[in-house]
Amino acid sequence: MREIVLDTETTGFDADKDDRIVEIGAVELLNHLPTGRTFHVYINPERSMPNEAFEVHGLGDDFLRDKPKFAEIAQDFLDFVADDAKLVIHNAAFDMKFLNAELRRAGHPTLPWARALDTLAIARERFPGSPASLDALCRRFGVDNSNRELHGALLDSEILAEVYLELIGGRQPDLVLDRPGQEQDVAATDRSTVRRAPRPTPLPPRLTDQEATAHQDFIAKLGDGAVWARYQ
């Protein structure tokens, strides 16, 4: 199963007017494991950068002036996400709206909304009433985001990939590793407290006599050093 963890930075909040994407970062996962393949590009938004947006990501007019326009990188982006991957995004409605607005302007097909998997929605469902920002989830799961002084699409995608794997059960809830200098902030409600008593009467074996005999014959052929022999 192929997934793309994705983030964008923009000039503002209104994709339907004149706000534009200025950065895209994406990380490829295959069967929930990072493959090492990434996509990262800065984009000339063809407009000036509002100060409010600059304070979020630090991408200014001088830096972006010589970067490619979205139309110039659109096909490379579409080739990377292809049509076989889920798009894992935090607050997916925001990024999908911007990406599809840019794709329409560039004359490309838009991305189906069904491809988006929203980690913000997953977090709110798992932890109702708790903060669900990316920073809050990093604190909850012990994901290191100390390099995240400003928003950056590729860095945020890499961090989100770790958070996403925790959200879907990538680590057992009560397995918390002590890392030097790292604060552990795992809520008690995340830990399993259920303890089941052993059955008063063990379940009967499901092996038939014929299957048990065949197994014994197989072990005998392996010799005295066979691992199975330790469990007889």
Side-chain angles (χ1 to χ4, degrees):
M1 178 178 62
R2 186 170 180 265
E3 296 168 303
I4 302 296
V5 185
L6 184 149
D7 185 53
T8 66
E9 298 299 336
T10 69
T11 63
F13 298 101
D14 198 339
D16 294 327
K17 292 187 178 178
D18 61 348
D19 281 320
R20 306 293 295 272
I21 292 177
V22 295
E23 185 185 8
I24 301 174
V27 175
E28 181 184 61
L29 303 179
L30 193 60
N31 297 325
H32 300 326
L33 294 174
T35 65
R37 289 190 68 214
T38 62
F39 179 89
H40 182 226
V41 64
Y42 294 107
I43 300 166
N44 182 345
E46 304 179 74
R47 54 151 294 171
S48 61
M49 180 67 65
N51 188 60
E52 296 83 356
F54 177 78
E55 290 177 351
V56 171
H57 48 59
L59 303 176
D61 296 337
D62 291 342
F63 177 78
L64 296 170
R65 187 169 292 116
D66 64 347
K67 302 302 183 286
K69 299 172 184 178
F70 186 90
E72 297 172 298
I73 62 90
Q75 190 58 56
D76 290 340
F77 170 71
L78 290 172
D79 289 344
F80 184 80
V81 301
D83 58 3
D84 63 338
K86 275 286 186 183
L87 305 178
V88 180
I89 308 171
H90 202 68
N91 192 13
F94 178 88
D95 298 82
M96 289 291 287
K97 189 171 185 178
F98 266 93
L99 286 167
N100 282 336
E102 294 282 11
L103 288 168
R104 277 192 296 270
R105 289 189 192 101
H108 289 275
T110 57
L111 299 168
W113 285 82
R115 289 186 61 182
L117 193 158
D118 190 355
T119 51
L120 179 61
I122 296 174
R124 285 173 172 169
E125 183 177 350
R126 279 200 61 187
F127 312 114
S130 297
S133 68
L134 187 56
D135 284 337
L137 293 172
C138 285
R139 290 192 296 272
R140 175 181 286 277
F141 292 124
V143 173
D144 183 9
N145 68 340
S146 56
N147 292 328
R148 192 178 185 245
E149 296 179 6
L150 294 172
H151 287 237
L154 183 58
L155 175 60
D156 285 2
S157 294
E158 292 169 344
I159 292 172
L160 180 58
E162 293 187 58
V163 167
Y164 168 60
L165 295 178
E166 297 288 355
L167 280 172
I168 63 174
R171 182 176 67 187
Q172 294 183 22
D174 51 351
L175 178 60
V176 180
L177 303 180
D178 256 338
R179 301 185 209 168
Q182 178 177 294
E183 178 185 355
Q184 298 298 338
D185 185 23
V186 179
T189 54
D190 294 340
R191 301 172 183 266
S192 174
T193 57
V194 177
R195 297 291 183 269
R196 293 184 174 86
R199 293 177 180 273
T201 305
L203 292 173
R206 296 184 178 182
L207 287 176
T208 65
D209 291 342
Q210 183 179 6
E211 290 169 333
T213 300
H215 183 61
Q216 292 296 335
D217 291 343
F218 172 72
I219 294 174
K221 293 177 183 177
L222 297 178
D224 294 338
V227 173
W228 280 105
R230 303 176 195 172
Y231 300 96
Q232 298 300 307

